[in-house]
Amino acid sequence: MSENQTHTLTYSYFPGCTLKNKAKDLDLYGRLSAEALGFKLEEIEEWQCCGGVYPTGKNEIASKLPSVRALAASRDKNHALVTLCSACYNVIKQVNNDLQNDENTILKVNNYLAQDNIEYHGETKVLHFLEVLRDEIGWDNVKKAVKNPFKGKKIGAYYGCLLLRPGKVMEFDDPENPKILEDFITAIGGTPVIYAQRNECCGAYAAFEDETIPRKRSASILANAEDMGADFLVTSCPLCRYNLIKNKGSSKLDVIYFTELLAEALGVKDAVAKEAVNA
């Protein structure tokens, strides 16, 4: 973002189900942080749940339609689509890729949506909030806006699966050696802690099959980060955060959502608490 830029950047915003229900504070942290950094998140009207998991069935079309509707609505406003949730980001970006490259999906989706006078071919740019910070605002500008730096705090980034994979579709960061969350930590004044399991699966979805899997995976991730000196972890996936906290066992590490850290660093976190009281 240029220092001479006077207009407010506006993005279509897909909050997703978790941030509109169980984690409303994380949504507010993101909105207020965006305002503090000079951009606006304009929530899409009448959005529907993305499904939380990308449907891999070749002929599974109906479950992709909510994502396509959100993408088309963003295109019609000439906006990029932004989300704060790694799961929503993964689903919407993969669906968008289908509407750019898969003729079967393109044909069937547009046949469904023709009754609503919608035609879509993958025109919308899909961004995670962290990409907006990195690519459009710039880490230097984020750093300049920080009022309460996390000086002296050693913070471990936890990526999980959905931000990074499949790498050729997401194109978010290097799936084996990412750095965007570490750059985020540095920008807010903290010290990144590199540990081996920062982009390993926490096993959350496996809980439906065998609840011991996420318990073991979470314990391993937290122990690894703790051994490397982390004071706490930061993540951008609500499901990962929930799973790691639920299965933390004897670990002393807290797991904090990135928008909460950003809001605190920018000095707008207290405004969320006031808004919650007045709601």
Side-chain angles (χ1 to χ4, degrees):
M1 182 176 67
S2 169
E3 293 182 2
N4 297 322
Q5 187 173 1
T6 57
H7 68 281
T8 299
L9 294 167
T10 302
Y11 301 92
S12 288
Y13 174 46
F14 187 94
C17 300
T18 301
L19 271 70
K20 295 296 284 187
N21 290 283
K22 295 291 187 180
K24 291 181 179 179
D25 55 335
L26 307 183
D27 168 68
L28 288 171
Y29 291 140
R31 292 175 189 261
L32 291 175
S33 294
E35 290 179 12
L37 290 168
F39 66 99
K40 180 181 179 182
L41 299 176
E42 187 176 283
E43 186 172 336
I44 296 169
E45 296 178 5
E46 299 182 354
W47 59 267
Q48 298 170 293
C49 176
C50 70
V53 180
Y54 171 72
T56 57
K58 188 69 174 175
N59 292 311
E60 179 51 53
I61 300 299
S63 58
K64 296 181 180 182
L65 298 181
S67 295
V68 179
R69 291 181 186 277
L71 288 160
S74 303
R75 176 205 58 196
D76 292 346
K77 291 190 175 184
N78 199 28
H79 291 168
L81 186 153
V82 171
T83 184
L84 305 180
C85 170
S86 297
C88 295
Y89 174 72
N90 183 280
V91 172
I92 294 171
K93 194 159 186 180
Q94 290 209 68
V95 170
N96 201 45
N97 182 70
D98 288 341
L99 270 293
Q100 294 169 337
N101 299 299
D102 187 274
E103 291 299 328
N104 176 66
T105 302
I106 293 168
L107 175 64
K108 292 184 176 180
V109 162
N110 283 298
N111 281 343
Y112 268 103
L113 296 179
Q115 61 185 330
D116 297 321
N117 295 315
I118 296 173
E119 184 173 347
Y120 183 75
H121 295 272
E123 298 93 343
T124 301
K125 185 176 184 179
V126 181
L127 296 170
H128 191 279
F129 192 101
L130 287 166
E131 289 179 296
V132 177
L133 299 185
R134 179 188 66 192
D135 301 333
E136 310 211 4
I137 303 302
W139 295 125
D140 287 343
N141 287 311
V142 174
K143 187 175 181 179
K144 289 175 185 176
V146 168
K147 296 179 179 179
N148 305 311
F150 284 86
K151 188 175 181 181
K153 291 295 183 181
K154 297 179 179 179
I155 307 171
Y158 181 67
Y159 289 89
C161 309
L162 299 177
L163 272 181
L164 302 167
R165 303 180 180 93
K168 291 182 179 179
V169 175
M170 304 311 292
E171 296 183 329
F172 177 80
D173 206 339
D174 184 332
E176 299 304 324
N177 188 29
K179 63 190 288 287
I180 190 170
L181 273 171
E182 283 78 13
D183 289 342
F184 168 77
I185 292 166
T186 300
I188 63 173
T191 301
V193 173
I194 304 297
Y195 61 105
Q197 298 202 36
R198 64 200 174 108
N199 58 343
E200 295 293 327
C201 179
C202 69
Y205 288 115
F208 293 104
E209 190 74 24
D210 182 353
E211 64 181 17
T212 66
I213 294 174
R215 197 177 305 145
K216 291 176 182 176
R217 291 297 314 125
S218 297
S220 180
I221 291 163
L222 291 163
N224 182 208
E226 201 164 359
D227 287 345
M228 297 306 293
D231 294 319
F232 57 88
L233 298 186
V234 59
T235 187
S236 67
C237 178
L239 181 58
C240 291
R241 176 174 177 263
Y242 171 83
N243 188 52
L244 290 170
I245 291 173
K246 180 183 179 182
N247 294 292
K248 67 185 298 183
S250 60
S251 175
K252 298 177 181 178
L253 297 188
D254 197 3
V255 184
I256 304 174
Y257 207 66
F258 81 100
T259 56
E260 181 175 356
L261 289 187
L262 182 59
E264 186 171 344
L266 297 175
V268 299
K269 184 177 178 180
D270 290 344
V272 174
K274 291 178 181 177
E275 188 165 335
V277 170
N278 295 327

